[in-house]
Amino acid sequence: MKVFKFGGAALRSAATIRNVASIIRQHQNTPLWVVVSAMGKTTNALERVVAAFLKHEDYHTEIQNIYTYHQQLIEELFTDTQTALAILDEHIRAIHSTLVCNKDEDEDEVYDQVVSMGEVLSSQLIHRFLMIEGFTVAWQDARNLIRTDSIFREGKVDWKITEMQIGKAKKETAASMVITQGFMGADEQHRTVTLGREGSDFSAAIIAAGLNAKSITIWKDVPGVMNADPKRLPAAVVFPELPYTEAAEMTYYGASVIHPKTIKPLALKNIPLWVKSFADPSLPGTVIHDCKVDGLLPVIVFKENQCLLSCKVTDFTFINEEQLSVIFQAISALNIKINVMQNSAISFSCCIDFRENKVMALIEKLQAQFEVYYNTNLTLITVKNYDEESFETYRKKPNVLLEQSSRSALQVLVKDL
Ligand code: ASP
Ligand code: MG
């Protein structure tokens, strides 16, 4: 049993979907579970629908755009479009009625019910296409597989129930191929709960772990895991293999090639993760597994849209553990993740993602006790496994606001120019 995951970029057009079908065809001899994202940029569009709805602005135009995009894709993909168009109509109606029926609900709950529709629609269209292409393929609702708590937009997985549900689905499915959705599960009341943006990689890992799969492959628009983003550093190279820990740390520092939560469930079950190019499947890609690699190249990660927050004590004392604990409690209560931190005699500074609402709420809390300063439009550059040359290059960057190094990583926070 293998698991494949295709993201929005692999499903953005009729041509790329045909390419996905041809990749699947080459792996027909092993039982396969395929996890799909919403097509193209549909998730962003659905987010705009929800945002407009909640602000009592026009959301119909954006729904119409989503309709037109899928309609065109269907017309290019199917010879007989009738069934696929009926699937599209049904989902567009469901988006409208979910919004209208949920006027008084929690905003995050409305978000999850509507935004997840992109994946449901995508999986049903792909399922239909694969059947027409002659595959024997079953469709599974991920909400019957992945059980979460009821924290909308960032559901936490109940591993025990999830494993049981996936095991049951595996037993009951006669087809050797299954298609299901990424990004979502359901809580105990069977309400849709999403796992956070870009969460489909994580879904695929959860499913692979539940199935005790032989391997999982995430098909991407890059040739594998690289030591830097090739758009920033054209000389970036692909790693043929990486240990789980190394890949997990790269995602922690902000490497966006795979979702940070993907590695753990796979490492615990020793399931190898392949990252391969959907545009050129003949390329070897990267395998992340239990291995030792000596002399890894420096890995350079750019994390944009950062904010540097500094809390200064106001009463001529030095910053102490009690004050640090106040700061950490405020940060943790808002579910904020610290990317780097540093303290001096009278101040504590930390670098966090700039999500305006959260940062403002944090500042308000901290201002009761500290003088608070902050800078935005920053990029955090991490050089992991640095060598002399990369260490010097990044330390000497202009506009460095904060610098920190350990035995294995150098981090510099720079102002965007
Ligand atoms: N469609 C969702 C997103 O764009 C989940 C995913 O693609 O991983 O965030
Ligand atoms: Mg994606």
Side-chain angles (χ1 to χ4, degrees):
M1 181 87 61
K2 287 185 179 175
V3 174
F4 281 2
K5 182 259 169 174
F6 294 98
L11 306 168
R12 68 179 183 275
S13 68
T16 62
I17 293 172
R18 284 201 185 92
N19 176 53
V20 164
S22 91
I23 292 175
I24 292 177
R25 182 162 286 119
Q26 286 159 27
H27 293 86
Q28 265 190 106
N29 45 4
T30 32
L32 190 64
W33 283 51
V34 180
V35 176
V36 295
S37 295
M39 292 171 167
K41 302 256 184 261
T42 304
T43 307
N44 292 349
L46 286 164
E47 276 194 345
R48 289 194 294 272
V49 169
V50 176
F53 169 79
L54 294 172
K55 282 195 266 173
H56 305 286
E57 290 170 2
D58 165 44
Y59 59 90
H60 296 277
T61 315
E62 196 63 69
I63 297 184
Q64 184 58 42
N65 293 341
I66 294 170
Y67 180 84
T68 311
Y69 164 68
H70 285 88
Q71 183 196 25
Q72 280 168 359
L73 194 149
I74 287 169
E75 274 158 11
E76 279 175 43
L77 190 61
F78 296 90
T79 326
D80 177 1
T81 56
Q82 204 185 356
T83 310
L85 286 175
I87 293 172
L88 173 59
D89 283 340
E90 182 198 323
H91 287 81
I92 295 291
R93 265 201 306 277
I95 293 170
H96 275 291
S97 60
T98 307
L99 289 170
V100 176
C101 297
N102 280 299
K103 276 214 157 66
D104 308 315
E105 296 296 327
D106 166 357
E107 294 189 357
D108 289 344
E109 184 174 349
V110 175
Y111 174 102
D112 277 1
Q113 315 311 308
V114 173
V115 176
S116 59
M117 225 74 95
E119 264 69 10
V120 182
L121 171 59
S122 163
S123 67
Q124 292 203 356
L125 292 175
I126 307 280
H127 176 241
R128 174 87 197 143
F129 180 67
L130 292 176
M131 286 204 307
I132 290 170
E133 288 286 291
F135 293 96
T136 311
V137 50
W139 182 87
Q140 275 281 349
D141 192 324
R143 288 166 290 197
N144 295 331
L145 303 173
I146 298 177
R147 168 66 66 81
T148 65
D149 62 10
S150 303
I151 310 291
F152 295 105
R153 295 187 69 164
E154 42 193 324
K156 301 275 166 310
V157 175
D158 181 326
W159 291 96
K160 226 171 135 193
I161 299 183
T162 299
E163 197 154 357
M164 207 185 71
Q165 295 188 146
I166 295 173
K168 189 164 168 267
K170 179 181 171 182
K171 249 203 237 138
E172 289 170 0
T173 311
S176 71
M177 194 190 299
V178 172
I179 182 144
T180 190
Q181 314 80 43
F183 186 47
M184 59 202 266
D187 69 358
E188 209 183 340
Q189 287 92 50
H190 214 71
R191 293 175 299 187
T192 308
V193 179
T194 64
L195 306 172
R197 284 302 307 265
E198 303 298 328
S200 294
D201 294 349
F202 182 38
S203 296
I206 298 167
I207 289 168
L211 292 169
N212 286 311
K214 214 168 97 202
S215 71
I216 158 173
T217 306
I218 296 184
W219 296 90
K220 300 276 308 180
D221 53 2
V222 286
V225 179
M226 304 179 83
N227 74 323
D229 178 353
K231 282 181 216 120
R232 289 219 184 230
L233 301 177
V237 296
V238 178
F239 289 109
E241 63 171 349
L242 282 173
Y244 290 117
T245 45
E246 191 69 29
E249 281 180 50
M250 284 170 70
T251 65
Y252 170 86
Y253 289 124
S256 60
V257 59
I258 34 180
H259 188 280
K261 289 185 182 162
T262 311
I263 305 290
K264 191 176 164 190
L266 301 173
L268 289 177
K269 292 225 164 160
N270 215 349
I271 299 171
L273 162 62
W274 288 88
V275 178
K276 279 178 69 83
S277 158
F278 60 74
D280 189 353
S282 69
L283 293 175
T286 302
V287 59
I288 298 164
H289 59 163
D290 188 13
C291 65
K292 247 188 118 152
V293 182
D294 290 327
L296 271 179
L297 283 175
V299 174
I300 299 148
V301 183
F302 293 81
K303 204 169 167 54
E304 292 169 359
N305 199 20
Q306 297 296 296
C307 166
L308 177 65
L309 194 97
S310 301
C311 303
K312 215 170 139 190
V313 285
T314 50
D315 58 358
F316 298 99
T317 59
F318 297 128
I319 197 137
N320 62 33
E321 285 67 19
E322 243 163 68
Q323 287 159 325
L324 286 175
S325 114
V326 169
I327 298 171
F328 281 120
Q329 267 168 29
I331 291 175
S332 146
L334 284 158
N335 217 344
I336 290 174
K337 179 176 161 279
I338 298 177
N339 298 327
V340 192
M341 58 187 164
Q342 213 166 58
N343 65 312
S344 68
I346 54 162
S347 79
F348 170 84
S349 297
C350 62
C351 167
I352 56 183
D353 293 350
F354 184 61
R355 282 178 63 182
E356 196 167 355
N357 292 348
K358 284 202 177 198
V359 172
M360 292 308 149
L362 177 63
I363 291 175
E364 207 186 305
K365 257 195 186 169
L366 295 173
Q367 269 169 340
Q369 211 166 325
F370 305 95
E371 244 173 64
V372 184
Y373 303 89
Y374 74 102
N375 299 68
T376 56
N377 293 324
L378 310 177
T379 298
L380 177 63
I381 308 172
T382 302
V383 188
K384 199 176 172 308
N385 318 323
Y386 55 78
D387 53 16
E388 223 179 293
E389 190 192 332
S390 54
F391 191 86
E392 285 313 312
T393 311
Y394 287 94
R395 269 193 67 198
K396 287 194 186 128
K397 281 259 168 214
N399 298 307
V400 172
L401 293 185
L402 183 150
E403 180 199 318
Q404 190 165 291
S405 63
S406 69
R407 262 178 281 240
S408 65
L410 164 72
Q411 295 192 284
V412 290
L413 185 64
V414 297
K415 198 160 178 48
D416 294 343
L417 295 176

